[in-house]
Structure formats: structure tokens, C-alpha cells
Amino acid sequence: MSPLALVTGGQQGIGLGIAQALRAQGFRLAIASLPSPDQAAEAMRTLGPEARYYRHDLADLAAIPALLDRIAAEQGPVDALIQNAGVAARIRGDMLEITPENFDWIMGINLKGGFFLAQQVAKRMLASTSPHYRSITFVTSVSARMASPERADYCISKAAASMAAQSLALRLAPHNIGVFELRPGIIATGMTEAVRDKYDARIAGGLVPAGRWGQPSDIGQALIPLVTGRLAFATGAVIPVDGGLSIERL
């Protein structure tokens, strides 16, 4: 049987690009997200009969065991977790005005929800065997390294998720379970649609050395060597997928 990948937020944007690349590689798919029913149905039509959808709120930590139990019962154990789901800052503006409520909200999804899902998947991987290479990949952002004071809570959540990936890589390396981090740059998705005009101008002005927006498929293609074990000895690697945006320049 082909390997099974669990993709959070796989119904749209970067997550859908990842899911499509995995499908083309022969993976079976479990998509966990919290979209509208119409959005989920459209994604499933796009991904085909080997994909199944599971409604899951990443912030609901108590729901994680039931999610993984259901996936295991219907599809088998997870061979690759791609922790992609996340949210943008509720309010862009002066970081001195960030409220504890908004800070906790973004941390609860981007950091806490993703970390504890990865923790539970890792425990199940350690308690079982598989004929396939196994891995956990955190999709963070160039914002894990590049600061934006107008959305500091988002940047902090991604930087913390990056450390979660590094720590988990050390914990799982003796068991040949790879842990990786992909850092997308400016990617054309629904999340960035509101700032398209701003970044069109900045990209034209040289912000991105590659001279274009990234596409969800760029992230999907970067993921394939990680989940197939081609980079197994590079566990813990942080891979920017940003057209050169995060390279330090004079």
C-alpha cells in the first residue's frame, strides 16, 4: 500500500499545492482542516478518490486523539505529517497595540495546535513500524526569521514553530524519522490576496530576486524529496522556498 500523508490546511492555497504534489508522487491523502463544506468538497474533487477529508480545528487539542484514531481506522497509520495550517495576524498595525487575546489566538493555532498534533503523530510513529520512510514537516514562513513589526505576533508564532521543528528533529533522529521545515516566502494564495498590489510593486522593485510571486506548487515540489527520504540524512534542515527573498544582501 502506498504511504499516507496527513496535510493540515490541505484544502486551499499552499496546503492544496502540497497535497497535489503528494498525490502526483503516489501518496494517499488525509486532509484535516476547518473550511466551509463547499470548499472542502471542491478540494476533494480536485484531489481524487485517494484523498479523504477530516474536519479538524487545529486549536482544539482535545480533538487530536480522535482525529488520528479515525484516520488510522479508515486509512492506516500516518507516514508523513505536513503541518501546514495556520492563520495570519488578526490585525496588522503597531505591535505595541497587540492584545493578549489576539496573541493567544494566533499562538493557539500556529504554534500550540501544530506542536501538539506533531507530538501525537510522533508518538504513534514510535509505537509502530512502516515499510515507508516517515517524516514530519512544519511549513512556517520567512517570517520565522524576517521581522515585521506590524504583524509581530505572526512572526513570533512562526519563529517558535521553527524551534519546535528543530527540537523534534533531534528527538526523532535516532529512529530515522525525519523532521524538516519549509519556509515559504511571498506566495500567491487567498491569504496574500489583500496585499497583492503592494507586493506586485515591491517584487517589481527587486524585493524577490527571482522576480515573481511564489506559487503553491513551488512549496509542493520542494516537499517531495523530504517525504520520500531522499534527504533523510538532512533531518532538521530549514529550507527557504522564497525566490531568494531571505538571502542577506548589501
Side-chain angles (χ1 to χ4, degrees):
M1 185 177 290
S2 58
L4 175 65
L6 168 57
V7 184
T8 63
Q11 83 289 352
Q12 65 179 350
I14 289 174
L16 183 57
I18 286 170
Q20 289 169 331
L22 288 165
R23 182 192 62 179
Q25 191 64 32
F27 278 75
R28 295 175 297 119
L29 296 169
I31 305 299
S33 63
L34 196 62
S36 68
D38 290 344
Q39 187 181 55
E42 178 59 31
M44 291 305 100
R45 284 192 291 270
T46 299
L47 295 174
E50 290 296 304
R52 296 192 184 181
Y53 167 70
Y54 302 88
R55 182 176 174 83
H56 177 67
D57 181 353
L58 203 59
D60 186 356
L61 304 185
I64 293 173
L67 168 70
L68 297 179
D69 286 346
R70 185 179 170 197
I71 293 171
E74 296 182 3
Q75 294 181 276
V78 172
D79 296 296
L81 167 65
I82 298 86
Q83 170 37 42
N84 161 77
V87 292
R90 273 179 167 168
I91 300 173
R92 284 176 173 252
D94 187 350
M95 66 178 291
L96 301 183
E97 301 302 325
I98 294 173
T99 65
E101 293 77 16
N102 284 346
F103 187 90
D104 288 347
W105 175 77
I106 202 166
M107 290 295 170
I109 298 170
N110 291 359
L111 175 61
K112 195 172 180 180
F115 172 78
F116 283 104
L117 176 60
Q119 180 197 67
Q120 291 301 312
V121 169
K123 285 183 176 181
R124 292 178 185 232
M125 286 180 173
L126 291 176
S128 64
T129 60
S130 173
H132 305 293
Y133 178 71
R134 295 179 296 176
S135 65
I136 295 172
T137 302
F138 289 78
V139 180
T140 62
S141 168
V142 292
S143 295
R145 174 185 171 192
M146 303 177 74
S148 298
E150 74 279 5
R151 53 193 184 102
D153 45 356
Y154 176 81
C155 298
I156 293 167
S157 74
K158 294 299 184 177
S162 177
M163 181 51 70
Q166 293 286 291
S167 301
L168 194 58
L170 290 175
R171 176 64 178 84
L172 298 181
H175 304 279
N176 193 35
I177 298 171
V179 181
F180 305 97
E181 179 189 351
L182 291 178
R183 287 185 180 173
I186 303 170
I187 311 297
T189 68
M191 184 180 288
T192 55
E193 185 61 34
V195 292
R196 173 169 289 277
D197 290 345
K198 170 187 173 181
Y199 280 109
D200 278 346
R202 296 191 68 189
I203 291 169
L207 176 66
V208 179
R212 66 172 177 87
W213 283 77
Q215 299 298 322
S217 59
D218 291 316
I219 314 303
Q221 291 306 310
L223 175 75
I224 297 305
L226 308 182
V227 298
T228 55
R230 299 174 200 169
L231 292 178
F233 202 58
T235 188
V238 178
I239 302 173
V241 192
D242 62 7
L245 170 65
S246 60
I247 298 173
E248 293 182 359
R249 289 169 280 177
L250 288 173

